[in-house]
PDB file of all heavy atoms in Angstrom:
ATOM      1  N   PHE A 227      -4.564 -10.044 -22.950  1.00  0.00           N
ATOM      2  CA  PHE A 227      -4.843 -11.471 -23.085  1.00  0.00           C
ATOM      3  C   PHE A 227      -5.534 -12.053 -21.848  1.00  0.00           C
ATOM      4  O   PHE A 227      -5.794 -13.251 -21.794  1.00  0.00           O
ATOM      5  CB  PHE A 227      -3.528 -12.227 -23.341  1.00  0.00           C
ATOM      6  CG  PHE A 227      -2.778 -11.723 -24.535  1.00  0.00           C
ATOM      7  CD1 PHE A 227      -1.737 -10.809 -24.402  1.00  0.00           C
ATOM      8  CD2 PHE A 227      -3.129 -12.140 -25.806  1.00  0.00           C
ATOM      9  CE1 PHE A 227      -1.050 -10.336 -25.504  1.00  0.00           C
ATOM     10  CE2 PHE A 227      -2.448 -11.675 -26.928  1.00  0.00           C
ATOM     11  CZ  PHE A 227      -1.413 -10.759 -26.775  1.00  0.00           C
ATOM     12  N   LEU A 228      -5.858 -11.213 -20.869  1.00  0.00           N
ATOM     13  CA  LEU A 228      -6.543 -11.671 -19.676  1.00  0.00           C
ATOM     14  C   LEU A 228      -8.029 -11.358 -19.769  1.00  0.00           C
ATOM     15  O   LEU A 228      -8.430 -10.427 -20.460  1.00  0.00           O
ATOM     16  CB  LEU A 228      -5.936 -10.992 -18.430  1.00  0.00           C
ATOM     17  CG  LEU A 228      -4.516 -11.383 -18.075  1.00  0.00           C
ATOM     18  CD1 LEU A 228      -4.055 -10.627 -16.826  1.00  0.00           C
ATOM     19  CD2 LEU A 228      -4.382 -12.882 -17.841  1.00  0.00           C
ATOM     20  N   PRO A 229      -8.873 -12.132 -19.062  1.00  0.00           N
ATOM     21  CA  PRO A 229     -10.317 -11.935 -19.165  1.00  0.00           C
ATOM     22  C   PRO A 229     -10.797 -10.786 -18.265  1.00  0.00           C
ATOM     23  O   PRO A 229     -10.091 -10.341 -17.371  1.00  0.00           O
ATOM     24  CB  PRO A 229     -10.868 -13.263 -18.663  1.00  0.00           C
ATOM     25  CG  PRO A 229      -9.858 -13.708 -17.629  1.00  0.00           C
ATOM     26  CD  PRO A 229      -8.531 -13.273 -18.186  1.00  0.00           C
ATOM     27  N   GLU A 230     -12.002 -10.350 -18.526  1.00  0.00           N
ATOM     28  CA  GLU A 230     -12.663  -9.397 -17.658  1.00  0.00           C
ATOM     29  C   GLU A 230     -13.137 -10.132 -16.408  1.00  0.00           C
ATOM     30  O   GLU A 230     -13.260 -11.367 -16.395  1.00  0.00           O
ATOM     31  CB  GLU A 230     -13.843  -8.754 -18.390  1.00  0.00           C
ATOM     32  CG  GLU A 230     -14.628  -7.703 -17.614  1.00  0.00           C
ATOM     33  CD  GLU A 230     -13.743  -6.607 -17.045  1.00  0.00           C
ATOM     34  OE1 GLU A 230     -13.398  -5.678 -17.772  1.00  0.00           O
ATOM     35  OE2 GLU A 230     -13.401  -6.726 -15.849  1.00  0.00           O
ATOM     36  N   SER A 231     -13.369  -9.408 -15.314  1.00  0.00           N
ATOM     37  CA  SER A 231     -13.883 -10.007 -14.084  1.00  0.00           C
ATOM     38  C   SER A 231     -15.229 -10.676 -14.345  1.00  0.00           C
ATOM     39  O   SER A 231     -16.126 -10.062 -14.933  1.00  0.00           O
ATOM     40  CB  SER A 231     -14.056  -8.905 -13.025  1.00  0.00           C
ATOM     41  OG  SER A 231     -14.974  -9.297 -12.029  1.00  0.00           O
ATOM     42  N   PRO A 232     -15.403 -11.940 -13.917  1.00  0.00           N
ATOM     43  CA  PRO A 232     -16.679 -12.635 -14.164  1.00  0.00           C
ATOM     44  C   PRO A 232     -17.857 -11.934 -13.473  1.00  0.00           C
ATOM     45  O   PRO A 232     -18.967 -11.942 -14.008  1.00  0.00           O
ATOM     46  CB  PRO A 232     -16.446 -14.037 -13.595  1.00  0.00           C
ATOM     47  CG  PRO A 232     -15.284 -13.906 -12.677  1.00  0.00           C
ATOM     48  CD  PRO A 232     -14.434 -12.807 -13.230  1.00  0.00           C
ATOM     49  N   ARG A 233     -17.622 -11.315 -12.339  1.00  0.00           N
ATOM     50  CA  ARG A 233     -18.718 -10.629 -11.649  1.00  0.00           C
ATOM     51  C   ARG A 233     -19.130  -9.360 -12.383  1.00  0.00           C
ATOM     52  O   ARG A 233     -20.303  -9.023 -12.406  1.00  0.00           O
ATOM     53  CB  ARG A 233     -18.305 -10.355 -10.204  1.00  0.00           C
ATOM     54  CG  ARG A 233     -18.343 -11.606  -9.340  1.00  0.00           C
ATOM     55  CD  ARG A 233     -17.742 -11.392  -7.967  1.00  0.00           C
ATOM     56  NE  ARG A 233     -18.024 -12.530  -7.090  1.00  0.00           N
ATOM     57  CZ  ARG A 233     -17.313 -13.657  -7.082  1.00  0.00           C
ATOM     58  NH1 ARG A 233     -16.296 -13.799  -7.903  1.00  0.00           N
ATOM     59  NH2 ARG A 233     -17.638 -14.648  -6.265  1.00  0.00           N
ATOM     60  N   TRP A 234     -18.180  -8.658 -12.978  1.00  0.00           N
ATOM     61  CA  TRP A 234     -18.544  -7.472 -13.755  1.00  0.00           C
ATOM     62  C   TRP A 234     -19.312  -7.882 -15.013  1.00  0.00           C
ATOM     63  O   TRP A 234     -20.271  -7.234 -15.409  1.00  0.00           O
ATOM     64  CB  TRP A 234     -17.287  -6.689 -14.145  1.00  0.00           C
ATOM     65  CG  TRP A 234     -17.598  -5.391 -14.852  1.00  0.00           C
ATOM     66  CD1 TRP A 234     -17.937  -4.198 -14.288  1.00  0.00           C
ATOM     67  CD2 TRP A 234     -17.624  -5.187 -16.272  1.00  0.00           C
ATOM     68  NE1 TRP A 234     -18.168  -3.249 -15.270  1.00  0.00           N
ATOM     69  CE2 TRP A 234     -17.970  -3.829 -16.502  1.00  0.00           C
ATOM     70  CE3 TRP A 234     -17.388  -6.015 -17.380  1.00  0.00           C
ATOM     71  CZ2 TRP A 234     -18.088  -3.281 -17.779  1.00  0.00           C
ATOM     72  CZ3 TRP A 234     -17.500  -5.462 -18.653  1.00  0.00           C
ATOM     73  CH2 TRP A 234     -17.844  -4.122 -18.843  1.00  0.00           C
ATOM     74  N   LEU A 235     -18.895  -8.991 -15.639  1.00  0.00           N
ATOM     75  CA  LEU A 235     -19.604  -9.487 -16.822  1.00  0.00           C
ATOM     76  C   LEU A 235     -21.040  -9.861 -16.481  1.00  0.00           C
ATOM     77  O   LEU A 235     -21.980  -9.555 -17.244  1.00  0.00           O
ATOM     78  CB  LEU A 235     -18.861 -10.695 -17.403  1.00  0.00           C
ATOM     79  CG  LEU A 235     -17.505 -10.414 -18.046  1.00  0.00           C
ATOM     80  CD1 LEU A 235     -16.788 -11.729 -18.371  1.00  0.00           C
ATOM     81  CD2 LEU A 235     -17.659  -9.562 -19.292  1.00  0.00           C
ATOM     82  N   MET A 236     -21.244 -10.514 -15.337  1.00  0.00           N
ATOM     83  CA  MET A 236     -22.593 -10.863 -14.902  1.00  0.00           C
ATOM     84  C   MET A 236     -23.421  -9.600 -14.648  1.00  0.00           C
ATOM     85  O   MET A 236     -24.599  -9.528 -14.997  1.00  0.00           O
ATOM     86  CB  MET A 236     -22.526 -11.719 -13.625  1.00  0.00           C
ATOM     87  CG  MET A 236     -22.069 -13.138 -13.852  1.00  0.00           C
ATOM     88  SD  MET A 236     -23.349 -14.153 -14.668  1.00  0.00           S
ATOM     89  CE  MET A 236     -24.525 -14.326 -13.306  1.00  0.00           C
ATOM     90  N   LYS A 237     -22.798  -8.614 -14.051  1.00  0.00           N
ATOM     91  CA  LYS A 237     -23.500  -7.369 -13.753  1.00  0.00           C
ATOM     92  C   LYS A 237     -23.959  -6.681 -15.042  1.00  0.00           C
ATOM     93  O   LYS A 237     -25.020  -6.027 -15.074  1.00  0.00           O
ATOM     94  CB  LYS A 237     -22.561  -6.423 -12.973  1.00  0.00           C
ATOM     95  CG  LYS A 237     -23.202  -5.136 -12.518  1.00  0.00           C
ATOM     96  CD  LYS A 237     -22.217  -4.310 -11.720  1.00  0.00           C
ATOM     97  CE  LYS A 237     -22.839  -2.997 -11.275  1.00  0.00           C
ATOM     98  NZ  LYS A 237     -21.881  -2.160 -10.504  1.00  0.00           N
ATOM     99  N   LYS A 238     -23.213  -6.848 -16.125  1.00  0.00           N
ATOM    100  CA  LYS A 238     -23.553  -6.245 -17.406  1.00  0.00           C
ATOM    101  C   LYS A 238     -24.417  -7.156 -18.272  1.00  0.00           C
ATOM    102  O   LYS A 238     -24.679  -6.852 -19.434  1.00  0.00           O
ATOM    103  CB  LYS A 238     -22.269  -5.880 -18.156  1.00  0.00           C
ATOM    104  CG  LYS A 238     -21.437  -4.809 -17.482  1.00  0.00           C
ATOM    105  CD  LYS A 238     -22.218  -3.495 -17.342  1.00  0.00           C
ATOM    106  CE  LYS A 238     -21.402  -2.424 -16.670  1.00  0.00           C
ATOM    107  NZ  LYS A 238     -22.161  -1.153 -16.527  1.00  0.00           N
ATOM    108  N   GLY A 239     -24.872  -8.276 -17.705  1.00  0.00           N
ATOM    109  CA  GLY A 239     -25.759  -9.177 -18.435  1.00  0.00           C
ATOM    110  C   GLY A 239     -25.066 -10.092 -19.414  1.00  0.00           C
ATOM    111  O   GLY A 239     -25.728 -10.754 -20.232  1.00  0.00           O
ATOM    112  N   ARG A 240     -23.766 -10.197 -19.329  1.00  0.00           N
ATOM    113  CA  ARG A 240     -22.997 -11.049 -20.261  1.00  0.00           C
ATOM    114  C   ARG A 240     -22.687 -12.378 -19.585  1.00  0.00           C
ATOM    115  O   ARG A 240     -21.550 -12.743 -19.322  1.00  0.00           O
ATOM    116  CB  ARG A 240     -21.728 -10.306 -20.686  1.00  0.00           C
ATOM    117  CG  ARG A 240     -22.044  -9.056 -21.480  1.00  0.00           C
ATOM    118  CD  ARG A 240     -20.953  -7.996 -21.435  1.00  0.00           C
ATOM    119  NE  ARG A 240     -19.693  -8.422 -22.026  1.00  0.00           N
ATOM    120  CZ  ARG A 240     -18.629  -7.638 -22.159  1.00  0.00           C
ATOM    121  NH1 ARG A 240     -18.697  -6.372 -21.730  1.00  0.00           N
ATOM    122  NH2 ARG A 240     -17.513  -8.097 -22.682  1.00  0.00           N
ATOM    123  N   GLU A 241     -23.752 -13.144 -19.289  1.00  0.00           N
ATOM    124  CA  GLU A 241     -23.638 -14.350 -18.476  1.00  0.00           C
ATOM    125  C   GLU A 241     -22.858 -15.448 -19.164  1.00  0.00           C
ATOM    126  O   GLU A 241     -22.100 -16.176 -18.516  1.00  0.00           O
ATOM    127  CB  GLU A 241     -25.035 -14.847 -18.088  1.00  0.00           C
ATOM    128  CG  GLU A 241     -24.996 -16.014 -17.128  1.00  0.00           C
ATOM    129  CD  GLU A 241     -26.356 -16.315 -16.520  1.00  0.00           C
ATOM    130  OE1 GLU A 241     -27.163 -15.382 -16.352  1.00  0.00           O
ATOM    131  OE2 GLU A 241     -26.604 -17.500 -16.219  1.00  0.00           O
ATOM    132  N   THR A 242     -23.005 -15.566 -20.473  1.00  0.00           N
ATOM    133  CA  THR A 242     -22.285 -16.603 -21.201  1.00  0.00           C
ATOM    134  C   THR A 242     -20.764 -16.394 -21.088  1.00  0.00           C
ATOM    135  O   THR A 242     -19.996 -17.349 -20.844  1.00  0.00           O
ATOM    136  CB  THR A 242     -22.686 -16.599 -22.686  1.00  0.00           C
ATOM    137  OG1 THR A 242     -24.098 -16.803 -22.789  1.00  0.00           O
ATOM    138  CG2 THR A 242     -21.958 -17.711 -23.441  1.00  0.00           C
ATOM    139  N   GLU A 243     -20.331 -15.137 -21.238  1.00  0.00           N
ATOM    140  CA  GLU A 243     -18.912 -14.816 -21.109  1.00  0.00           C
ATOM    141  C   GLU A 243     -18.430 -15.060 -19.669  1.00  0.00           C
ATOM    142  O   GLU A 243     -17.338 -15.582 -19.443  1.00  0.00           O
ATOM    143  CB  GLU A 243     -18.665 -13.368 -21.503  1.00  0.00           C
ATOM    144  CG  GLU A 243     -18.920 -13.053 -22.955  1.00  0.00           C
ATOM    145  CD  GLU A 243     -18.739 -11.577 -23.251  1.00  0.00           C
ATOM    146  OE1 GLU A 243     -17.614 -11.067 -23.033  1.00  0.00           O
ATOM    147  OE2 GLU A 243     -19.732 -10.925 -23.674  1.00  0.00           O
ATOM    148  N   ALA A 244     -19.264 -14.670 -18.706  1.00  0.00           N
ATOM    149  CA  ALA A 244     -18.909 -14.854 -17.296  1.00  0.00           C
ATOM    150  C   ALA A 244     -18.729 -16.333 -16.966  1.00  0.00           C
ATOM    151  O   ALA A 244     -17.797 -16.722 -16.250  1.00  0.00           O
ATOM    152  CB  ALA A 244     -19.969 -14.238 -16.390  1.00  0.00           C
TER     153      ALA A 244
END
Side-chain angles (χ1 to χ4, degrees):
F227 304 97
L228 293 179
E230 181 53 82
S231 158
R233 285 171 170 81
W234 185 84
L235 291 172
M236 286 287 288
K237 184 178 179 181
K238 295 299 180 180
R240 296 156 63 177
E241 186 168 329
T242 302
E243 294 176 60

